[in-house]
Amino acid sequence: GGGNDSFEVLYANGAMMLTTGFERGQLIGKSLSELEAWTDDFKTMVIGDVEAGLALNHVPLWSKTRQESPVYLSFLPVQSGEEAVKHYLVIHHL
């Protein structure tokens, strides 16, 4: 639900391309939900926490490409002075 359900990729560094197996052009503008093998229940839980403005640490990245190294994401809310959190910094952990 809401506008956060796509987890649109706005920027991808070299590590993200290496671990997912996708080129930058294949990542930018795509949704993490499209790229990842997350279950509907898992997406609902993550989206609920993100919409509540909570920080999430070490969310497992289950890539459909089944990368060799385990990858985790942390969603860290970026406060903009408004009440609702609209942006997150997402950190990739290997």
Side-chain angles (χ1 to χ4, degrees):
N4 292 328
D5 56 0
S6 68
F7 296 99
E8 183 182 351
V9 177
L10 301 178
Y11 169 79
N13 65 11
M16 185 170 183
M17 291 182 288
L18 181 66
T19 56
T20 61
F22 292 109
E23 295 296 322
R24 185 171 276 114
Q26 294 174 292
L27 290 167
I28 302 302
K30 289 283 169 70
S31 152
L32 276 181
S33 301
E34 291 177 294
L35 302 171
E36 294 309 307
W38 290 342
T39 65
D40 287 340
D41 286 346
F42 186 78
K43 277 191 278 191
T44 299
M45 180 194 73
V46 171
I47 290 165
D49 287 351
V50 166
E51 287 182 342
L54 302 176
L56 295 174
N57 288 300
H58 288 77
V59 176
L61 198 64
W62 302 315
S63 176
K64 290 178 181 173
T65 61
R66 297 286 181 241
Q67 73 274 356
E68 292 181 18
S69 304
V71 177
Y72 299 87
L73 298 180
S74 289
F75 295 83
L76 306 176
V78 177
Q79 300 296 339
S80 62
E82 300 174 19
E83 286 193 25
V85 174
K86 297 198 185 307
H87 300 284
Y88 274 78
L89 173 65
V90 181
I91 307 294
H92 232 128
H93 310 272
L94 290 180

